Amino acid sequence: MAPASLSPSRAGDFMQCPLLYRFRVIDRLPEKPSPAATKGTLVHAVLERLFDAPAAERTAPRAKSLIPGQWDRLRETRPEVVELFADDPEGERLAGWLVEAERLVERWFTLEDPTRLEPAERELFVEAELDSGLRLRGIIDRVDVAPTGEVRIVDYKTGKAPRPEYAEGALFQMKFYALVVWRLKNVVPRRLQLVYLGSGDVLTYDPVLADLERVERKLLALWEAIRLATQTGEWRPRPTKLCGWCDHQAHCPEFGGTPPPYPLPVTLPVRAAESESGAQGRMGPG
């Protein structure tokens, strides 16, 4: 189906590799669950549920005690994650994986004090439509609101903090969320905060209106590129070192694969339609 909205992850997909975006959004090719991503989902669920308890009871032991129940719930709602440990009959790998999740949860207590936090929102779905008609959507891990009304957007990351030269890329998701909040509430969040449980780092950024306006312009340009690729059926692969982790190599021309038949109507660009040779069947850029 044709894309109708943009999230931070899908925007990231297109910037990383337009063909990956196509495989995920238009073709909806299945992907295997990964241990790292599933662990992140589990830890996020534990940190969200911990705030159900009274402030004084938000302790590390209490948080760790939530892990087995949240793992059971994850297996019920997403049965495919059971495949991760299908070749682990004794449960040794699963036990080690759960211990790693415990360590990430424990580390959070060295970075923030949940007994002093009362989130206004947890796992908050947000969606805003820009003047252009583009719909932006996403899920914010946590929103804190100070008594004075200042908003802080918090996101948990179970990996390690990026090197300083890559910090801007890491902040893109947070600025995306800040833009949506601004468009919805006419409030520029006071602080954006990334909590890296894998390395024990906290990355913060205090945005200003000009930041959000720049992000909006970037997203509009990105959406225009997505719209053009959707119409023409031309989705350019962009090889990087991340290709090694891609589930879709069998369908990728860079690895000798063939993409599935394009499921949407194709409209040739004007320059191609006017050309005698045309551009039908071409996968490369125009």
Side-chain angles (χ1 to χ4, degrees), residues 272-280:
E274 292 175 349
S275 167
E276 291 183 2
S277 60
Q280 291 179 318

Side-chain angles (χ1 to χ4, degrees), residues 86-106:
D87 59 347
D88 183 35
E90 303 299 321
E92 293 180 3
R93 282 181 47 242
L94 173 60
W97 184 82
L98 290 172
V99 167
E100 292 171 0
E102 286 187 358
R103 289 173 181 157
L104 293 171
V105 169
E106 282 186 310

Side-chain angles (χ1 to χ4, degrees), residues 71-201:
W71 172 232
D72 289 342
R73 180 173 175 272
L74 187 58
R75 287 184 296 177
E76 291 173 5
T77 56
R78 294 177 52 188
E80 66 273 15
V81 303
V82 177
E83 300 173 19
L84 290 171
F85 303 102
D87 59 347
D88 183 35
E90 303 299 321
E92 293 180 3
R93 282 181 47 242
L94 173 60
W97 184 82
L98 290 172
V99 167
E100 292 171 0
E102 286 187 358
R103 289 173 181 157
L104 293 171
V105 169
E106 282 186 310
R107 183 169 287 148
W108 178 56
F109 286 83
T110 69
L111 304 173
E112 295 191 288
D113 181 359
T115 66
R116 302 182 64 181
L117 296 170
E118 290 298 339
E121 301 286 354
R122 290 172 277 155
E123 294 294 313
L124 174 67
F125 174 78
V126 291
E127 183 176 53
E129 184 171 319
L130 304 182
D131 295 339
S132 65
L134 170 58
R135 281 191 292 127
L136 305 178
R137 62 197 310 178
I139 298 176
I140 302 174
D141 288 347
R142 198 179 86 219
V143 179
D144 300 332
V145 179
T148 53
E150 294 172 312
V151 174
R152 177 172 63 182
I153 296 175
V154 181
D155 194 72
Y156 309 120
K157 299 294 185 186
T158 48
K160 296 180 180 180
R163 296 201 299 263
E165 59 266 33
Y166 296 113
E168 184 60 33
L171 282 169
F172 170 77
Q173 173 188 9
M174 304 302 285
K175 292 180 180 179
F176 184 110
Y177 291 146
L179 170 62
V180 176
V181 169
W182 172 51
R183 284 302 191 185
L184 284 174
K185 304 290 186 180
N186 200 30
V187 172
V188 176
R190 176 69 179 83
R191 173 154 292 183
L192 310 178
Q193 182 166 304
L194 284 160
V195 181
Y196 286 95
L197 305 177
S199 57
D201 296 296

